[in-house]
Amino acid sequence: MKILALDSSGLVASVAVTENGVLTAEFTVNYKKTHSQTLLPMLQTVREMLDLKLDTIDAIAIAAGPGSFTGLRIGSATAKGLGLALEKPMIEVSTLAGLAYNLWGSDKLICPIMDARRNQVYTGVYTFHKMEEADPERHGEEAFAYRMETVLSDRAVDIEELIDELNALGQEVIFLGDGVPVFWERITKLSKVPCTYAPAHANRQRAAAIAALGGQYYAEGRIVSADEHRPEYLRLSQAERERLEQR
């Protein structure tokens, strides 16, 4: 099983390849450049470093949203083009679920937040459920299998409303995502439950997480054709909202 993963849903641009559950390459840049200039050169670099023939991949995993409208379109167009040209299936992974998967195995509530402007965040709340003990010969004597579960579904919501919902859940929360530096003061002030923030290596989008979670989805048959794929914006763009208001 070989998966190519792309994520350009926010400021981060990221490309990764996994093979049989092993991460063989990841190229991630968090810098203010348009993804139309960075994503394809990053993919080309990964191809050259791995001597990768794209027709050998089994599926293309894409961070399907929410996130930046422009970034999502660039990522989706790139993934759809590859899928159509290579006749490969696509795996749609929520950007927020991918972020939460960075903290695989945590016993806390995981709350990714992406700045959606207008005092709102794109967010969902996730947790990991411990399953049966894993094969000790493969994973180590203390290893367990975990499954990520959704506590609150992905949506765009006012930051104060989100904090009220988390307070009502009454569990410790780990925040991550580009919304943290924007809203951390309000989070710290209004939270009535213990809250912490993910460290630098795990607090932004990573295509490796999209590939890992995408591999799980692929095994479950959760794939679409390149024709069927559509990014999930969760809300209308500013231009669409203004047009509706004019009407």
Side-chain angles (χ1 to χ4, degrees):
M1 167 59 61
K2 189 181 295 184
I3 295 176
L4 169 66
L6 306 173
D7 191 334
S8 60
S9 56
L11 286 177
V12 173
S14 187
V15 178
V17 177
T18 58
E19 185 170 2
N20 297 327
V22 176
L23 177 65
T24 57
E26 183 180 25
F27 190 163
T28 299
V29 176
N30 184 14
Y31 190 68
K32 293 183 179 180
K33 289 185 178 179
T34 59
H35 299 324
S36 60
Q37 296 174 331
T38 59
L39 195 62
L40 284 175
M42 291 167 62
L43 174 57
Q44 181 61 23
T45 299
V46 168
R47 287 179 60 191
E48 293 172 354
M49 293 293 290
L50 295 180
D51 194 21
L52 173 67
K53 294 179 175 60
L54 288 179
D55 59 2
T56 65
I57 66 173
D58 295 289
I60 301 164
I62 180 69
S68 157
F69 283 71
T70 301
L72 288 174
R73 290 178 181 128
I74 292 169
S76 290
T78 302
K80 282 172 72 74
L82 290 170
L84 289 168
L86 300 170
E87 297 183 344
K88 301 294 183 180
M90 293 181 60
I91 311 166
E92 298 173 323
V93 179
S94 157
T95 304
L96 296 164
L99 272 166
Y101 212 67
N102 286 342
L103 301 178
W104 185 90
S106 172
D107 60 352
K108 312 295 190 299
L109 291 179
I110 302 170
C111 185
I113 55 174
M114 300 175 66
D115 184 14
R117 312 296 182 184
R118 307 174 76 173
N119 203 50
Q120 288 193 328
V121 292
Y122 297 121
T123 190
V125 179
Y126 301 86
T127 189
F128 285 92
H129 175 67
K130 187 180 290 186
M131 307 292 283
E132 296 179 359
E133 189 169 357
D135 180 358
E137 293 184 359
R138 181 177 178 184
H139 300 286
E141 295 181 359
E142 299 299 324
F144 290 83
Y146 292 87
R147 184 170 185 84
M148 191 168 72
E149 298 179 351
T150 302
V151 178
L152 296 176
S153 300
D154 295 359
R155 66 212 191 280
V157 65
D158 185 270
I159 185 64
E160 280 82 9
E161 181 178 343
L162 170 63
I163 296 171
D164 286 344
E165 291 175 335
L166 292 170
N167 287 337
L169 291 173
Q171 300 179 53
E172 185 173 349
V173 183
I174 302 177
F175 290 93
L176 70 162
D178 62 34
V180 169
V182 179
F183 295 107
W184 74 270
E185 287 187 359
R186 265 182 282 181
I187 292 171
T188 303
K189 179 179 179 181
L190 298 175
S191 291
K192 298 179 182 178
V193 295
C195 60
T196 54
Y197 303 97
H201 72 284
N203 67 13
R204 292 292 188 275
Q205 291 94 325
R206 291 185 60 184
I210 298 297
L213 188 52
Q216 178 181 314
Y217 290 176
Y218 187 95
E220 296 171 354
R222 296 168 60 177
I223 60 176
V224 299
S225 69
D227 278 332
E228 294 171 319
H229 168 64
R230 298 290 184 277
E232 178 57 72
Y233 299 114
L234 286 187
R235 70 179 191 186
L236 297 176
S237 68
Q238 182 177 347
E240 291 170 320
R241 292 195 303 269
E242 290 175 352
R243 185 166 61 250
L244 287 174
E245 290 170 359
Q246 290 173 356
R247 290 178 180 177

